[in-house]
Amino acid sequence: IIFGPLLAECQTALHPIFPASPQPTMAGTTLRTLSLPQSVADVGGIDAWNASNDDVSRLLRMLGHICTASSVNEALAEVKAIMSMGHNLWAYAYMRMLYNKNMDVFYGALLAEPQLLLPVVYTPTVGEACQKFGKMPFYRRGCYLSIRDRGSFRKVLEEYASAELAKDEHGKYLCDCIVFSDGGRILGLGDLGCWGMGIPIGKLDLYTVCAGINPHRTVPVILDAGCSDASGNTDRVLVRDSELYTGSKHARIMRKSTAGTDVNSAFFGEGSMIEEFMQAATDIFGKHCLLQFEDFNSNDAFPLLAEYRNRFLTYNDDIQGTAAVTVAGLLGAIKLRKPMCTDLISELRRETFLFHGAGSANIGALLLLANEAGVPRSQLFVTNSRGIIWKSEDGSEGSFRNDEQKAFAQVGKPTFDGKDLVAAVEHIKPTSIIGAVGRDPGCFSKEVVQAMLRVNDTSRPGIYALSNPKTQAEITSVDCWTWSAGKAIYGSGTGMESLELEDKMFCPGQVNNVYIFPGMSMGAVCCKASTIPERFFMVAAEAVANSLDAEDLKTDRVVPHPNKIRSVGLNVAAAVVCEAQKMGLASKTLGKDASEIKEALQGLMWSPETSGVQEKIAPDDFVDSRAIGA
């Protein structure tokens, strides 16, 4: 789980793009009605909702008594005591209460011990937290736009902005970034609807911790288009039909797309929920406000990204951010095999890849490899539930399920059992196998690992288990290294254990898009980019791989150590700004070269002086922004 050092409280004098924003004055939580989830609004607002259920009401009082910290040291002592019980869900609930009580102490604690606390406020804990989101007290952070409010989204956003955001000297609300989701595919857990708000909230916390984006100028958003019943989520959790479900208690309205896939009808067509929301957001906050898609179903995600990516400053982190960090991990494996290599992309083009799973993450990585890195499609293989995806020569038949899968279907039906991973490895002979299935834990068996070793006899194979949460991982780090006697190169999508083998310490690199999206967003916002093309994600991937140092390579990491995430974020942001200026997409020039751009970016980072942060950060974990790029 990924994290990074030092930020700062909102009152600190900052560069004009991120000026110090006074905390908004609140007259009370009952002021908001439109921007609350439907069930919460229907009972009369936040206070009424929390009081309407005895368990929630008691939890609110309990958490209020537990969370008494007024300093970073006190907060760390309290949360560590809770974590000593061995289950981080309570720690998550504590941190949400802390944010509600004292935002500066919340971020101060995260910055003081990010390696401890970012796994609490985001993955892996946030998955279970979303499954139980309605069972916890409801707080004011987060804007909800319901399908019933179509035609009034501008009013909804203005209500939230009036309550939660400051204004500039011209009376314009200050918002640099919005992360928005419909809750339709929360991590690997399925449709959690409005309970998925934990994801946009957590994502924006990482924006702040890992790249220095001002948290007072961000908005987490849920678009409430309905929610599936329990069959629509992986663990069959009662969400929509729970008495504590906060959103609209009706099913999503689905239709068939022209490609024959099931999509949310409210998201497509003229005046759709997505179009109205994005247009209203830019009307209020300006065209340079970043709008990041998060955790939409793949059938919706790909066409929505295609439709809006050139109209707004937007990207889909599940497709593009995950793709970029996957490619960064593949580049990292090249550095492990050939530490002196200076042309990583040329080496990448010589490799063959087998992607297990054809969801948005793997399809995004395939697109980046093919279109930006130039890897021949004949060297890119992908599976779905029908096995290796193939198509006839004329494309009229095959095992693909949508156009995105069809684009990477191999011509001709496999001569081997395409559902058998061992057979697939033996026939395809991939240099790396990448799993992002989400529903097939342990599928990279000992037999698969041994097959990868056989077909890569003179080289180290790459084995990547990218599914979240940990319970869904295709293979654990310990099994991968044990079964391969340390020969395989391993990367995971969630935190895994280190292992010592024959006096060598193997430390798993977490191939998590947190290495990408904070720097991507920071770079795009700071240079006022007009759009975010795929090229930005390729240079971001290279920036991550080039951030690996000797110690990372010594411990077999495919991505840098987590304690360097803030410097990695700066490297990514700088690479994005350099490319934006080169491509003529930057409305604001930050410098004439990489050094000047880095210096400008570090001056824009939200950097606190919260009491207790400095003395808690160990020297090796602290990245002083003033020293970066020096």
Side-chain angles (χ1 to χ4, degrees), residues 238-278:
L238 191 69
V239 178
R240 184 192 72 197
D241 298 322
S242 166
E243 65 175 341
L244 293 174
Y245 184 60
T246 49
S248 305
K249 294 194 172 187
H250 60 75
R252 296 174 183 272
I253 302 172
M254 309 297 290
R255 67 171 175 82
K256 289 288 184 182
S257 69
T258 54
T261 58
D262 293 322
V263 298
N264 280 270
S265 61
F267 295 165
F268 297 92
E270 187 176 352
S272 70
M273 282 185 73
I274 303 295
E275 182 177 44
E276 183 184 353
F277 159 68
M278 297 181 86

mmCIF file of all heavy atoms in Angstrom, residues 238-278:
data_model
loop_
_atom_site.group_PDB
_atom_site.id
_atom_site.type_symbol
_atom_site.label_atom_id
_atom_site.label_comp_id
_atom_site.label_asym_id
_atom_site.label_seq_id
_atom_site.Cartn_x
_atom_site.Cartn_y
_atom_site.Cartn_z
ATOM 1 N N LEU A 238 -25.954 -7.420 1.316
ATOM 2 C CA LEU A 238 -27.218 -6.692 1.201
ATOM 3 C C LEU A 238 -26.908 -5.196 1.249
ATOM 4 O O LEU A 238 -26.546 -4.659 2.295
ATOM 5 C CB LEU A 238 -28.151 -7.080 2.348
ATOM 6 C CG LEU A 238 -29.607 -6.608 2.221
ATOM 7 C CD1 LEU A 238 -30.314 -7.349 1.086
ATOM 8 C CD2 LEU A 238 -30.347 -6.824 3.539
ATOM 9 N N VAL A 239 -27.016 -4.553 0.114
ATOM 10 C CA VAL A 239 -26.680 -3.131 0.020
ATOM 11 C C VAL A 239 -27.948 -2.328 -0.252
ATOM 12 O O VAL A 239 -28.502 -1.690 0.639
ATOM 13 C CB VAL A 239 -25.625 -2.873 -1.083
ATOM 14 C CG1 VAL A 239 -25.320 -1.380 -1.206
ATOM 15 C CG2 VAL A 239 -24.339 -3.642 -0.768
ATOM 16 N N ARG A 240 -28.429 -2.392 -1.486
ATOM 17 C CA ARG A 240 -29.598 -1.576 -1.866
ATOM 18 C C ARG A 240 -30.806 -1.831 -0.991
ATOM 19 O O ARG A 240 -31.566 -0.908 -0.660
ATOM 20 C CB ARG A 240 -29.957 -1.862 -3.333
ATOM 21 C CG ARG A 240 -31.095 -0.997 -3.877
ATOM 22 C CD ARG A 240 -31.582 -1.539 -5.202
ATOM 23 N NE ARG A 240 -32.332 -2.770 -5.060
ATOM 24 C CZ ARG A 240 -32.582 -3.614 -6.057
ATOM 25 N NH1 ARG A 240 -32.115 -3.354 -7.268
ATOM 26 N NH2 ARG A 240 -33.285 -4.703 -5.852
ATOM 27 N N ASP A 241 -31.010 -3.073 -0.596
ATOM 28 C CA ASP A 241 -32.206 -3.418 0.168
ATOM 29 C C ASP A 241 -31.993 -3.363 1.678
ATOM 30 O O ASP A 241 -32.875 -3.740 2.448
ATOM 31 C CB ASP A 241 -32.685 -4.817 -0.243
ATOM 32 C CG ASP A 241 -33.069 -4.855 -1.720
ATOM 33 O OD1 ASP A 241 -33.651 -3.864 -2.205
ATOM 34 O OD2 ASP A 241 -32.763 -5.859 -2.399
ATOM 35 N N SER A 242 -30.829 -2.868 2.093
ATOM 36 C CA SER A 242 -30.578 -2.656 3.515
ATOM 37 C C SER A 242 -31.321 -1.409 3.980
ATOM 38 O O SER A 242 -31.438 -0.423 3.245
ATOM 39 C CB SER A 242 -29.073 -2.474 3.758
ATOM 40 O OG SER A 242 -28.828 -1.965 5.045
ATOM 41 N N GLU A 243 -31.798 -1.429 5.227
ATOM 42 C CA GLU A 243 -32.461 -0.247 5.765
ATOM 43 C C GLU A 243 -31.477 0.915 5.922
ATOM 44 O O GLU A 243 -31.893 2.071 6.057
ATOM 45 C CB GLU A 243 -33.099 -0.559 7.119
ATOM 46 C CG GLU A 243 -32.112 -0.915 8.221
ATOM 47 C CD GLU A 243 -32.790 -1.104 9.577
ATOM 48 O OE1 GLU A 243 -33.923 -0.611 9.726
ATOM 49 O OE2 GLU A 243 -32.175 -1.726 10.456
ATOM 50 N N LEU A 244 -30.180 0.606 5.885
ATOM 51 C CA LEU A 244 -29.163 1.637 6.040
ATOM 52 C C LEU A 244 -28.561 2.079 4.710
ATOM 53 O O LEU A 244 -27.571 2.800 4.692
ATOM 54 C CB LEU A 244 -28.053 1.131 6.967
ATOM 55 C CG LEU A 244 -28.486 0.909 8.421
ATOM 56 C CD1 LEU A 244 -27.361 0.263 9.218
ATOM 57 C CD2 LEU A 244 -28.891 2.242 9.060
ATOM 58 N N TYR A 245 -29.158 1.638 3.595
ATOM 59 C CA TYR A 245 -28.652 2.106 2.307
ATOM 60 C C TYR A 245 -28.985 3.577 2.146
ATOM 61 O O TYR A 245 -30.134 3.996 2.313
ATOM 62 C CB TYR A 245 -29.240 1.305 1.144
ATOM 63 C CG TYR A 245 -28.649 1.725 -0.183
ATOM 64 C CD1 TYR A 245 -27.276 1.613 -0.412
ATOM 65 C CD2 TYR A 245 -29.442 2.269 -1.191
ATOM 66 C CE1 TYR A 245 -26.710 2.015 -1.612
ATOM 67 C CE2 TYR A 245 -28.883 2.671 -2.395
ATOM 68 C CZ TYR A 245 -27.518 2.545 -2.598
ATOM 69 O OH TYR A 245 -26.952 2.961 -3.787
ATOM 70 N N THR A 246 -27.967 4.368 1.811
ATOM 71 C CA THR A 246 -28.128 5.823 1.786
ATOM 72 C C THR A 246 -28.707 6.362 0.481
ATOM 73 O O THR A 246 -29.232 7.478 0.448
ATOM 74 C CB THR A 246 -26.756 6.491 2.026
ATOM 75 O OG1 THR A 246 -25.795 5.881 1.146
ATOM 76 C CG2 THR A 246 -26.307 6.306 3.465
ATOM 77 N N GLY A 247 -28.601 5.590 -0.597
ATOM 78 C CA GLY A 247 -28.981 6.105 -1.903
ATOM 79 C C GLY A 247 -30.383 5.752 -2.348
ATOM 80 O O GLY A 247 -31.257 5.387 -1.540
ATOM 81 N N SER A 248 -30.602 5.864 -3.656
ATOM 82 C CA SER A 248 -31.902 5.566 -4.255
ATOM 83 C C SER A 248 -32.129 4.056 -4.258
ATOM 84 O O SER A 248 -31.301 3.305 -4.779
ATOM 85 C CB SER A 248 -31.956 6.098 -5.689
ATOM 86 O OG SER A 248 -31.645 7.474 -5.728
ATOM 87 N N LYS A 249 -33.239 3.610 -3.749
ATOM 88 C CA LYS A 249 -33.491 2.170 -3.596
ATOM 89 C C LYS A 249 -34.230 1.610 -4.800
ATOM 90 O O LYS A 249 -35.341 1.086 -4.699
ATOM 91 C CB LYS A 249 -34.257 1.913 -2.305
ATOM 92 C CG LYS A 249 -33.440 2.255 -1.062
ATOM 93 C CD LYS A 249 -34.062 1.692 0.204
ATOM 94 C CE LYS A 249 -33.135 1.890 1.384
ATOM 95 N NZ LYS A 249 -33.597 1.222 2.596
ATOM 96 N N HIS A 250 -33.604 1.752 -5.952
ATOM 97 C CA HIS A 250 -34.169 1.159 -7.156
ATOM 98 C C HIS A 250 -33.034 0.587 -7.999
ATOM 99 O O HIS A 250 -31.857 0.966 -7.849
ATOM 100 C CB HIS A 250 -34.978 2.180 -7.971
ATOM 101 C CG HIS A 250 -34.180 3.373 -8.432
ATOM 102 N ND1 HIS A 250 -33.278 3.312 -9.478
ATOM 103 C CD2 HIS A 250 -34.158 4.654 -7.997
ATOM 104 C CE1 HIS A 250 -32.740 4.502 -9.662
ATOM 105 N NE2 HIS A 250 -33.248 5.342 -8.774
ATOM 106 N N ALA A 251 -33.371 -0.324 -8.861
ATOM 107 C CA ALA A 251 -32.367 -0.966 -9.711
ATOM 108 C C ALA A 251 -31.879 0.008 -10.781
ATOM 109 O O ALA A 251 -32.554 0.983 -11.124
ATOM 110 C CB ALA A 251 -32.971 -2.202 -10.370
ATOM 111 N N ARG A 252 -30.708 -0.270 -11.276
ATOM 112 C CA ARG A 252 -30.208 0.499 -12.415
ATOM 113 C C ARG A 252 -31.058 0.192 -13.646
ATOM 114 O O ARG A 252 -31.537 -0.932 -13.818
ATOM 115 C CB ARG A 252 -28.752 0.132 -12.698
ATOM 116 C CG ARG A 252 -27.799 0.482 -11.575
ATOM 117 C CD ARG A 252 -26.398 -0.037 -11.848
ATOM 118 N NE ARG A 252 -25.516 0.238 -10.730
ATOM 119 C CZ ARG A 252 -24.810 1.360 -10.582
ATOM 120 N NH1 ARG A 252 -24.893 2.299 -11.519
ATOM 121 N NH2 ARG A 252 -24.036 1.555 -9.532
ATOM 122 N N ILE A 253 -31.223 1.186 -14.492
ATOM 123 C CA ILE A 253 -31.945 0.994 -15.745
ATOM 124 C C ILE A 253 -30.918 0.677 -16.826
ATOM 125 O O ILE A 253 -30.078 1.525 -17.156
ATOM 126 C CB ILE A 253 -32.764 2.238 -16.108
ATOM 127 C CG1 ILE A 253 -33.746 2.572 -14.984
ATOM 128 C CG2 ILE A 253 -33.498 2.019 -17.424
ATOM 129 C CD1 ILE A 253 -34.459 3.893 -15.155
ATOM 130 N N MET A 254 -30.945 -0.535 -17.317
ATOM 131 C CA MET A 254 -29.930 -1.001 -18.250
ATOM 132 C C MET A 254 -30.505 -1.127 -19.661
ATOM 133 O O MET A 254 -31.718 -1.248 -19.843
ATOM 134 C CB MET A 254 -29.378 -2.354 -17.799
ATOM 135 C CG MET A 254 -28.928 -2.407 -16.350
ATOM 136 S SD MET A 254 -27.556 -1.298 -15.977
ATOM 137 C CE MET A 254 -26.222 -2.129 -16.868
ATOM 138 N N ARG A 255 -29.606 -1.101 -20.636
ATOM 139 C CA ARG A 255 -29.995 -1.353 -22.029
ATOM 140 C C ARG A 255 -28.813 -1.963 -22.759
ATOM 141 O O ARG A 255 -27.687 -1.951 -22.275
ATOM 142 C CB ARG A 255 -30.442 -0.069 -22.717
ATOM 143 C CG ARG A 255 -29.339 0.959 -22.921
ATOM 144 C CD ARG A 255 -29.831 2.103 -23.793
ATOM 145 N NE ARG A 255 -28.886 3.184 -23.948
ATOM 146 C CZ ARG A 255 -27.871 3.183 -24.815
ATOM 147 N NH1 ARG A 255 -27.683 2.137 -25.609
ATOM 148 N NH2 ARG A 255 -27.054 4.221 -24.909
ATOM 149 N N LYS A 256 -29.079 -2.481 -23.937
ATOM 150 C CA LYS A 256 -28.029 -3.039 -24.766
ATOM 151 C C LYS A 256 -27.385 -1.925 -25.599
ATOM 152 O O LYS A 256 -28.076 -1.107 -26.204
ATOM 153 C CB LYS A 256 -28.587 -4.109 -25.711
ATOM 154 C CG LYS A 256 -29.006 -5.401 -25.026
ATOM 155 C CD LYS A 256 -27.802 -6.204 -24.547
ATOM 156 C CE LYS A 256 -28.245 -7.534 -23.947
ATOM 157 N NZ LYS A 256 -27.066 -8.297 -23.422
ATOM 158 N N SER A 257 -26.071 -1.917 -25.603
ATOM 159 C CA SER A 257 -25.346 -0.958 -26.440
ATOM 160 C C SER A 257 -25.307 -1.474 -27.878
ATOM 161 O O SER A 257 -25.714 -2.604 -28.165
ATOM 162 C CB SER A 257 -23.918 -0.784 -25.925
ATOM 163 O OG SER A 257 -23.172 -1.973 -26.145
ATOM 164 N N THR A 258 -24.805 -0.669 -28.778
ATOM 165 C CA THR A 258 -24.678 -1.103 -30.165
ATOM 166 C C THR A 258 -23.697 -2.266 -30.294
ATOM 167 O O THR A 258 -23.767 -3.044 -31.242
ATOM 168 C CB THR A 258 -24.191 0.059 -31.057
ATOM 169 O OG1 THR A 258 -22.981 0.592 -30.504
ATOM 170 C CG2 THR A 258 -25.240 1.168 -31.121
ATOM 171 N N ALA A 259 -22.806 -2.395 -29.294
ATOM 172 C CA ALA A 259 -21.850 -3.506 -29.298
ATOM 173 C C ALA A 259 -22.435 -4.754 -28.648
ATOM 174 O O ALA A 259 -21.765 -5.788 -28.573
ATOM 175 C CB ALA A 259 -20.577 -3.095 -28.567
ATOM 176 N N GLY A 260 -23.693 -4.651 -28.170
ATOM 177 C CA GLY A 260 -24.343 -5.801 -27.562
ATOM 178 C C GLY A 260 -24.063 -5.992 -26.093
ATOM 179 O O GLY A 260 -24.406 -7.025 -25.509
ATOM 180 N N THR A 261 -23.453 -4.988 -25.433
ATOM 181 C CA THR A 261 -23.143 -5.091 -24.009
ATOM 182 C C THR A 261 -24.214 -4.393 -23.174
ATOM 183 O O THR A 261 -24.909 -3.491 -23.658
ATOM 184 C CB THR A 261 -21.775 -4.461 -23.704
ATOM 185 O OG1 THR A 261 -21.788 -3.087 -24.127
ATOM 186 C CG2 THR A 261 -20.673 -5.204 -24.439
ATOM 187 N N ASP A 262 -24.327 -4.781 -21.911
ATOM 188 C CA ASP A 262 -25.266 -4.149 -20.991
ATOM 189 C C ASP A 262 -24.653 -2.880 -20.423
ATOM 190 O O ASP A 262 -23.578 -2.918 -19.816
ATOM 191 C CB ASP A 262 -25.626 -5.106 -19.851
ATOM 192 C CG ASP A 262 -26.428 -6.306 -20.320
ATOM 193 O OD1 ASP A 262 -27.287 -6.129 -21.210
ATOM 194 O OD2 ASP A 262 -26.198 -7.414 -19.806
ATOM 195 N N VAL A 263 -25.328 -1.755 -20.615
ATOM 196 C CA VAL A 263 -24.830 -0.475 -20.124
ATOM 197 C C VAL A 263 -25.932 0.244 -19.364
ATOM 198 O O VAL A 263 -27.121 -0.056 -19.510
ATOM 199 C CB VAL A 263 -24.323 0.415 -21.280
ATOM 200 C CG1 VAL A 263 -23.160 -0.241 -22.005
ATOM 201 C CG2 VAL A 263 -25.451 0.741 -22.258
ATOM 202 N N ASN A 264 -25.533 1.204 -18.530
ATOM 203 C CA ASN A 264 -26.491 2.053 -17.819
ATOM 204 C C ASN A 264 -27.103 3.041 -18.801
ATOM 205 O O ASN A 264 -26.400 3.887 -19.363
ATOM 206 C CB ASN A 264 -25.789 2.810 -16.697
ATOM 207 C CG ASN A 264 -25.578 1.986 -15.456
ATOM 208 O OD1 ASN A 264 -26.425 1.944 -14.559
ATOM 209 N ND2 ASN A 264 -24.437 1.299 -15.380
ATOM 210 N N SER A 265 -28.393 2.963 -19.002
ATOM 211 C CA SER A 265 -29.035 3.823 -19.999
ATOM 212 C C SER A 265 -28.940 5.300 -19.635
ATOM 213 O O SER A 265 -28.904 6.156 -20.517
ATOM 214 C CB SER A 265 -30.503 3.417 -20.179
ATOM 215 O OG SER A 265 -31.219 3.561 -18.965
ATOM 216 N N ALA A 266 -28.863 5.606 -18.329
ATOM 217 C CA ALA A 266 -28.818 7.004 -17.902
ATOM 218 C C ALA A 266 -27.505 7.688 -18.251
ATOM 219 O O ALA A 266 -27.405 8.917 -18.181
ATOM 220 C CB ALA A 266 -29.055 7.091 -16.394
ATOM 221 N N PHE A 267 -26.485 6.899 -18.632
ATOM 222 C CA PHE A 267 -25.169 7.464 -18.867
ATOM 223 C C PHE A 267 -24.907 7.789 -20.335
ATOM 224 O O PHE A 267 -23.853 8.347 -20.661
ATOM 225 C CB PHE A 267 -24.083 6.495 -18.388
ATOM 226 C CG PHE A 267 -24.077 6.265 -16.899
ATOM 227 C CD1 PHE A 267 -23.380 5.193 -16.359
ATOM 228 C CD2 PHE A 267 -24.750 7.108 -16.036
ATOM 229 C CE1 PHE A 267 -23.354 4.976 -14.994
ATOM 230 C CE2 PHE A 267 -24.743 6.904 -14.668
ATOM 231 C CZ PHE A 267 -24.041 5.831 -14.147
ATOM 232 N N PHE A 268 -25.839 7.456 -21.208
ATOM 233 C CA PHE A 268 -25.582 7.608 -22.633
ATOM 234 C C PHE A 268 -26.689 8.403 -23.316
ATOM 235 O O PHE A 268 -27.818 8.458 -22.849
ATOM 236 C CB PHE A 268 -25.418 6.241 -23.286
ATOM 237 C CG PHE A 268 -24.231 5.470 -22.763
ATOM 238 C CD1 PHE A 268 -24.378 4.593 -21.697
ATOM 239 C CD2 PHE A 268 -22.973 5.668 -23.299
ATOM 240 C CE1 PHE A 268 -23.290 3.903 -21.193
ATOM 241 C CE2 PHE A 268 -21.875 4.985 -22.800
ATOM 242 C CZ PHE A 268 -22.037 4.101 -21.742
ATOM 243 N N GLY A 269 -26.329 9.008 -24.428
ATOM 244 C CA GLY A 269 -27.282 9.817 -25.170
ATOM 245 C C GLY A 269 -27.180 11.280 -24.800
ATOM 246 O O GLY A 269 -26.572 11.664 -23.799
ATOM 247 N N GLU A 270 -27.800 12.106 -25.616
ATOM 248 C CA GLU A 270 -27.759 13.550 -25.394
ATOM 249 C C GLU A 270 -28.384 13.897 -24.049
ATOM 250 O O GLU A 270 -29.467 13.425 -23.701
ATOM 251 C CB GLU A 270 -28.499 14.266 -26.529
ATOM 252 C CG GLU A 270 -28.373 15.784 -26.465
ATOM 253 C CD GLU A 270 -29.025 16.473 -27.657
ATOM 254 O OE1 GLU A 270 -29.442 15.750 -28.594
ATOM 255 O OE2 GLU A 270 -29.109 17.715 -27.655
ATOM 256 N N GLY A 271 -27.691 14.740 -23.272
ATOM 257 C CA GLY A 271 -28.206 15.158 -21.975
ATOM 258 C C GLY A 271 -28.140 14.075 -20.923
ATOM 259 O O GLY A 271 -28.876 14.121 -19.931
ATOM 260 N N SER A 272 -27.254 13.095 -21.088
ATOM 261 C CA SER A 272 -27.129 12.010 -20.119
ATOM 262 C C SER A 272 -26.668 12.541 -18.765
ATOM 263 O O SER A 272 -26.218 13.687 -18.639
ATOM 264 C CB SER A 272 -26.122 10.981 -20.619
ATOM 265 O OG SER A 272 -24.805 11.521 -20.575
ATOM 266 N N MET A 273 -26.739 11.685 -17.742
ATOM 267 C CA MET A 273 -26.262 12.072 -16.417
ATOM 268 C C MET A 273 -24.793 12.487 -16.459
ATOM 269 O O MET A 273 -24.397 13.464 -15.815
ATOM 270 C CB MET A 273 -26.422 10.911 -15.431
ATOM 271 C CG MET A 273 -27.822 10.682 -14.907
ATOM 272 S SD MET A 273 -27.852 9.373 -13.638
ATOM 273 C CE MET A 273 -27.086 10.214 -12.232
ATOM 274 N N ILE A 274 -23.995 11.739 -17.206
ATOM 275 C CA ILE A 274 -22.568 12.029 -17.271
ATOM 276 C C ILE A 274 -22.322 13.380 -17.925
ATOM 277 O O ILE A 274 -21.562 14.216 -17.414
ATOM 278 C CB ILE A 274 -21.815 10.932 -18.051
ATOM 279 C CG1 ILE A 274 -22.058 9.554 -17.421
ATOM 280 C CG2 ILE A 274 -20.332 11.249 -18.116
ATOM 281 C CD1 ILE A 274 -21.513 9.362 -16.048
ATOM 282 N N GLU A 275 -22.969 13.607 -19.064
ATOM 283 C CA GLU A 275 -22.775 14.870 -19.777
ATOM 284 C C GLU A 275 -23.244 16.054 -18.938
ATOM 285 O O GLU A 275 -22.557 17.077 -18.840
ATOM 286 C CB GLU A 275 -23.520 14.849 -21.110
ATOM 287 C CG GLU A 275 -23.313 16.111 -21.933
ATOM 288 C CD GLU A 275 -24.002 16.031 -23.279
ATOM 289 O OE1 GLU A 275 -25.158 15.586 -23.337
ATOM 290 O OE2 GLU A 275 -23.361 16.429 -24.283
ATOM 291 N N GLU A 276 -24.413 15.923 -18.315
ATOM 292 C CA GLU A 276 -24.929 17.025 -17.512
ATOM 293 C C GLU A 276 -24.004 17.323 -16.333
ATOM 294 O O GLU A 276 -23.714 18.484 -16.030
ATOM 295 C CB GLU A 276 -26.338 16.710 -16.997
ATOM 296 C CG GLU A 276 -26.938 17.880 -16.217
ATOM 297 C CD GLU A 276 -28.293 17.568 -15.605
ATOM 298 O OE1 GLU A 276 -28.846 16.501 -15.884
ATOM 299 O OE2 GLU A 276 -28.786 18.417 -14.816
ATOM 300 N N PHE A 277 -23.517 16.272 -15.689
ATOM 301 C CA PHE A 277 -22.620 16.462 -14.551
ATOM 302 C C PHE A 277 -21.321 17.145 -14.978
ATOM 303 O O PHE A 277 -20.884 18.133 -14.367
ATOM 304 C CB PHE A 277 -22.311 15.121 -13.887
ATOM 305 C CG PHE A 277 -21.048 15.133 -13.070
ATOM 306 C CD1 PHE A 277 -20.988 15.878 -11.898
ATOM 307 C CD2 PHE A 277 -19.918 14.442 -13.488
ATOM 308 C CE1 PHE A 277 -19.808 15.924 -11.151
ATOM 309 C CE2 PHE A 277 -18.753 14.480 -12.746
ATOM 310 C CZ PHE A 277 -18.698 15.222 -11.566
ATOM 311 N N MET A 278 -20.686 16.642 -16.025
ATOM 312 C CA MET A 278 -19.395 17.184 -16.434
ATOM 313 C C MET A 278 -19.531 18.621 -16.928
ATOM 314 O O MET A 278 -18.677 19.471 -16.649
ATOM 315 C CB MET A 278 -18.760 16.283 -17.499
ATOM 316 C CG MET A 278 -18.460 14.881 -16.993
ATOM 317 S SD MET A 278 -17.669 13.788 -18.208
ATOM 318 C CE MET A 278 -15.944 14.208 -17.969
#
